[in-house]
Amino acid sequence: MKCRKCGQRAVFNMRRHKLALCAEHYLEWFPEQVERTIGRYRMFTRDERVLVAVSGGKDSLALWDLLLDLGYHAEGLYIGLGIDGGFGYSELSLEKIKAFITTRPEAVLHTVDIAKTYGQSIPEVAAHKRRGRGKPCAVCGLIKRYVMNRVASEGDFGVLATGHNLDDEAAVLLGNTLHWQTGYLSRQAPVLEEKDGLARKVKPLCRLYEREVAAYAIVKGIDYIYEECPYAVGSTTNRYKELLNQLELDSPSSKLQFYINFLKAKEQGFFQPAEAQVELHPCENCGQPTTAPGLCTFCRLW
Ligand code: Q46
Ligand code: ZN
Ligand code: ZN
């Protein structure tokens, strides 16, 4: 297959666009797509400070690398979860991030190790709390959200960016739709605006397929951790991803259409947020915004 732009040998073929590109032109095409998404949803400008949540995986490292290339002020945040999974998942993730920043001397990395900061790793907290019994994802999600918001507010970052790609978003959308989670549907978006001290949350890769992000990371020479978090293996979200992959195989672009048409429906007024918007106030212990009276869910957990 030949590159549509220059006729050289193509390294990557995107069925959904009927577009094959060589390495050089793929490295041009991909950032253009991300830049377009950032502009289309007014995610942030070059004057804003962006905190990128990095896990050591392809999506977050590709995103960070790309934002630096595009001239954005993007600093990284790594949260050490203390997850082993028999192969040192958390340690390996941090190693990949450290290797990445040696290739980008301008990159600033913030790290928060959960066990060192709060006394217990994610699997340890999960084992002791009703909320996390059996599966630590519930406590993990809560803790990550809290730490991201805290670092963003302490470091004066107005924007928090995550590496969620189209496959992630489409899988979450499928889950929310199957259960008609109207509250979640009203909040699922490429941008969640800032509110009462909580940073704006953005997903600049939300219109790009997972395999497109992986191809970008590989062509760009970014070394990332291939293994998923051991607790993600066999998760419902992964099952939804498999279903959507099947669908995509039979009819290319269906994943993208599913997500994009959902966003269009939202713009037209479907999935309105519930009337009574809950007020946020500072937690009595840590000062972070919360809807819960008294202590926030994070402080209550510990
Ligand atoms: S929530 Fe669950 Fe993830 Fe935390 S424990 Fe791993 S899989 S990292 S996105
Ligand atoms: Zn080319
Ligand atoms: Zn608190």
Side-chain angles (χ1 to χ4, degrees):
M1 207 163 271
K2 287 185 174 159
C3 170
R4 191 202 280 176
K5 297 205 171 164
C6 69
Q8 302 275 346
R9 196 173 71 86
V11 294
F12 195 54
N13 178 29
M14 288 162 284
R15 283 173 72 204
R16 63 145 166 154
H17 297 298
K18 298 194 179 65
L19 178 66
L21 292 172
C22 70
E24 188 193 331
H25 285 113
Y26 190 67
L27 291 181
E28 263 176 26
W29 179 86
F30 188 91
E32 280 167 13
Q33 302 307 306
V34 180
E35 187 83 294
R36 216 178 278 174
T37 305
I38 293 172
R40 175 178 288 159
Y41 300 108
R42 294 198 181 87
M43 292 185 168
F44 45 84
T45 65
R46 286 187 172 70
D47 300 326
E48 288 180 284
R49 301 180 70 235
V50 183
L51 184 65
V52 186
V54 281
S55 67
K58 61 183 182 323
D59 305 293
S60 54
L61 284 181
L63 175 62
W64 193 12
D65 184 69
L66 189 70
L67 293 182
L68 291 173
D69 281 347
L70 291 171
Y72 288 102
H73 182 106
E75 297 184 15
L77 166 63
Y78 172 73
I79 304 176
L81 306 172
I83 293 174
D84 184 75
F87 61 94
Y89 170 72
S90 288
E91 270 172 42
L92 200 57
S93 312
L94 183 56
E95 270 170 33
K96 297 290 180 190
I97 296 169
K98 283 186 175 160
F100 172 80
I101 51 179
T102 59
T103 68
R104 308 248 14 172
E106 78 276 38
V108 177
L109 176 70
H110 305 262
T111 49
V112 175
D113 187 283
I114 299 299
K116 280 189 198 133
T117 315
Y118 300 105
Q120 284 182 328
S121 68
I122 296 290
E124 284 167 349
V125 201
H128 296 124
K129 306 285 171 185
R130 213 174 346 135
R131 192 182 177 113
R133 281 273 154 84
K135 257 219 142 194
C137 291
V139 268
C140 181
L142 167 84
I143 291 173
K144 283 197 294 192
R145 270 193 305 280
Y146 177 88
V147 172
M148 285 192 267
N149 278 317
R150 209 203 65 205
V151 175
S153 84
E154 286 174 2
D156 228 356
F157 292 92
V159 187
L160 194 59
T162 54
H164 293 101
N165 57 45
L166 176 65
D167 295 49
D168 297 321
E169 291 304 297
V172 169
L173 177 58
L174 181 58
N176 288 342
T177 309
L178 286 176
H179 299 104
W180 288 116
Q181 302 267 28
T182 48
Y184 290 150
L185 286 166
S186 76
R187 282 194 302 270
Q188 188 181 354
V191 178
L192 275 184
E193 286 305 334
E194 54 267 57
K195 187 175 190 276
D196 303 328
L198 290 172
R200 186 183 323 141
K201 296 193 177 69
V202 299
K203 299 167 185 169
L205 303 181
C206 67
R207 292 173 69 113
L208 286 146
Y209 282 73
E210 184 176 324
R211 62 188 290 271
E212 294 168 354
V213 184
Y216 181 77
I218 291 166
V219 178
K220 194 78 200 290
I222 298 170
D223 184 20
Y224 59 85
I225 179 166
Y226 292 104
E227 290 87 353
E228 269 192 302
C229 169
Y231 297 110
V233 177
S235 67
T236 323
T237 310
N238 278 3
R239 285 215 309 280
Y240 293 153
K241 280 186 182 176
E242 282 163 23
L243 279 170
L244 289 164
N245 283 341
Q246 273 302 320
L247 205 60
E248 183 78 24
L249 212 58
D250 296 336
S251 69
S253 188
S254 49
K255 229 183 268 184
L256 182 68
Q257 293 311 318
F258 179 47
Y259 182 60
I260 296 297
N261 289 329
F262 159 69
L263 295 182
K264 278 191 194 143
K266 275 186 86 164
E267 274 168 23
Q268 288 163 5
F270 286 92
F271 313 112
Q272 285 296 339
E275 292 275 308
Q277 282 281 16
V278 267
E279 286 298 310
L280 295 175
H281 62 86
C283 161
E284 281 173 6
N285 180 51
C286 70
Q288 283 294 298
T290 177
T291 52
L295 294 179
C296 71
T297 347
F298 178 85
C299 288
R300 221 171 279 189
L301 176 81
W302 291 98

